[in-house]
Amino acid sequence: MDLRGRPKRCSLHFGILPFIVFALVFFGYGFVSHRSQELGTPGAMTRMVYAQPKALTPSRKDVLVLTPWLAPIIWEGTFNIDILNEQFRLQNTTVGLTVFAIKKYVVFLKLFLETAEQHFMVGHKVIYYVFTDRPADVPQVPLGAGRKLVVLTVRNYTRWQDVSMHRMEMISRFSEQRFLHEVDYLVCADVDMKFSDHVGVEILSALFGTLHPGFYSSSREAFTYERRPKSQAYIPRDEGDFYYMGAFFGGSVVEVYRLTKACHQAMVEDKANGIEAVWHDESHLNKYLLYHKPTKVLSPEYMWDQQLLGWPSIMKKLRYVAVPKNHQAIRN
Ligand SMILES: *[C@@H]1O[C@H](CO)[C@@H](O)[C@H](O)[C@H]1NC(C)=O
Ligand SMILES: *[C@@H]1O[C@H](CO)[C@@H](O)[C@H](O)[C@H]1NC(C)=O
């Protein structure tokens, strides 16, 4: 409500002003302190002892830790997980992790879930949402306290490109139907991966994307964005911040809903126009995140392939990594 420019406030008679001030101070104090107690107590952090942040000492000198729109880029060494865990515990945060195990990709579920139990959001409430066309093949993996798994049966498609692209449609549909009522944040991950180190609440924010491990040092002209103007995913060569990987993104449920709905609609439009973006859903994700800037950006620690890329020294941790596989055999 915008109260600016309302003349009423000026009519306050100066004769009664001292009385009102007195009354506010006298009776209002109890009211104000009661409110602030009500609002303040659940959110107040407990005493913690930790290394002091130093205004003149950068957390990392070798990498960019902040985008030009002031979104943090999450690298090891830039955050204190104890502080963040406390903050998110106070919010009673529940995180949904969506993963698609369609056709033969169900074989990746066991390792994905087992390693998520070791490394993903440990100490927080987690719901795994497993989308699959083979519900009977979802493995029984023992889950920790406060963690559960929900199987969502969906149809398969013949082409792996269609399987990949329809994930956006499924996530947006289920966000509306149930995720909005069940979790605070959604993390959308590929299944042919494993967690190999801590992935926690430091990634959570309204909207986040992950730097593609193959392009984090490339210039925008070299990004494999969709370059044909006919596609809804088109990005001209003089635009672009980063090349984000389609295999790990997320945010609040409402922001993920907006993203996945927009990407799905763009893909429907492309199909009607007889064009398919060069990297399918990933091309549309990149277009969306260019015009809806993410509020956090995850470094390639959160998306790595050691077989292809080795282990460079800027990568202090490899947290979510590719599992070696025979792609042709799995995709068909
Ligand atoms: C935390 O969330 C759960 C649901 O996930 C709810 O049952 C519980 O009451 C909440 N606790 C607090 C303190 O809000
Ligand atoms: C696709 O799903 C149908 C059931 O919805 C199933 O009968 C069929 O075997 C599946 N195709 C593959 C290749 O898994």
Side-chain angles (χ1 to χ4, degrees):
M1 194 160 37
D2 189 354
L3 295 174
R4 281 170 299 178
R6 304 262 173 114
K8 263 187 194 156
R9 286 186 305 168
C10 303
S11 67
L12 202 60
H13 195 277
F14 280 105
I16 63 166
L17 190 58
F19 173 75
I20 289 173
V21 169
F22 173 79
L24 279 177
V25 168
F26 206 82
F27 300 106
Y29 178 74
F31 173 73
V32 168
S33 66
H34 181 67
R35 281 296 302 165
S36 65
Q37 200 170 44
E38 216 170 59
L39 297 172
T41 307
M45 297 179 63
T46 51
R47 172 182 150 77
M48 293 176 75
V49 176
Y50 51 83
Q52 183 202 347
K54 295 275 172 54
L56 300 182
T57 306
S59 54
R60 289 282 295 258
K61 293 180 192 166
D62 53 346
V63 291
L64 184 70
V65 301
L66 204 59
T67 69
W69 58 93
L70 301 180
I73 306 177
I74 315 301
W75 296 91
E76 176 66 8
T78 61
F79 60 89
N80 179 325
I81 192 59
D82 299 327
I83 301 174
L84 290 164
N85 275 334
E86 173 93 355
Q87 285 184 325
F88 282 88
R89 281 301 310 150
L90 287 166
Q91 302 293 324
N92 199 20
T93 304
T94 304
V95 183
L97 176 57
T98 70
V99 65
F100 285 76
I102 307 289
K103 297 192 277 188
K104 290 179 186 166
Y105 276 75
V106 288
V107 302
F108 293 111
L109 267 178
K110 189 164 184 289
L111 185 63
F112 178 91
L113 292 169
E114 283 171 354
T115 57
E117 280 298 294
Q118 291 165 27
H119 300 294
F120 183 78
M121 302 290 163
V122 174
H124 297 273
K125 288 179 291 176
V126 171
I127 304 179
Y128 298 101
Y129 294 112
V130 176
F131 292 81
T132 185
D133 58 332
R134 298 180 179 183
D137 293 347
V138 175
Q140 296 283 329
V141 172
L143 304 179
R147 305 170 76 97
K148 66 176 177 180
L149 186 147
V150 174
V151 177
L152 302 169
T153 305
V154 294
R155 62 159 293 187
N156 53 31
Y157 290 86
T158 309
R159 297 167 65 237
W160 67 265
Q161 294 91 337
D162 286 324
V163 169
S164 185
M165 288 192 290
H166 277 281
R167 295 184 299 179
M168 293 291 191
E169 180 187 16
M170 296 303 159
I171 294 169
S172 71
R173 186 188 299 168
F174 279 89
S175 291
E176 219 174 1
Q177 283 175 8
R178 61 184 295 174
F179 301 158
L180 271 170
H181 317 293
E182 294 180 354
V183 296
D184 303 301
Y185 293 93
L186 281 174
V187 177
C188 307
D190 272 11
V191 71
D192 52 346
M193 303 283 295
K194 66 176 181 184
F195 294 90
S196 54
D197 210 324
H198 168 93
V199 174
V201 294
E202 74 280 359
I203 71 171
L204 299 179
S205 191
L207 183 62
F208 68 84
T210 307
L211 300 184
H212 192 296
F215 294 97
Y216 65 92
S217 62
S218 303
S219 61
R220 52 162 67 124
E221 300 80 16
F223 292 160
T224 53
Y225 290 153
E226 174 55 58
R227 301 301 191 182
R228 293 167 296 173
K230 192 182 172 191
S231 169
Q232 299 300 310
Y234 170 62
I235 299 176
R237 292 197 186 267
D238 60 354
E239 288 184 62
D241 304 304
F242 305 107
Y243 191 80
Y244 302 100
M245 183 117 186
F248 205 63
F249 66 90
S252 67
V253 182
V254 66
E255 288 299 333
V256 170
Y257 170 69
R258 287 178 184 140
L259 178 154
T260 51
K261 192 171 171 76
C263 288
H264 171 59
Q265 282 172 344
M267 287 185 277
V268 168
E269 201 159 330
D270 270 9
K271 191 166 186 181
N273 292 326
I275 191 165
E276 187 171 282
V278 59
W279 286 106
H280 320 104
D281 43 311
E282 186 172 85
S283 303
H284 292 278
L285 175 75
N286 273 279
K287 177 68 175 276
Y288 187 89
L289 291 178
L290 175 59
Y291 293 112
H292 307 81
K293 302 288 193 215
T295 52
K296 277 186 183 175
V297 174
L298 310 188
S299 72
E301 292 170 11
Y302 294 87
M303 175 56 56
W304 198 252
D305 187 330
Q306 205 177 347
Q307 236 183 3
L308 278 180
L309 302 160
W311 193 335
S313 60
I314 56 158
M315 234 55 80
K316 308 292 181 207
K317 293 201 163 180
L318 306 183
R319 305 173 187 276
Y320 180 59
V321 300
V323 176
K325 60 188 161 292
N326 175 353
H327 246 304
Q328 279 323 109
I330 294 293
R331 277 177 171 175
N332 296 320

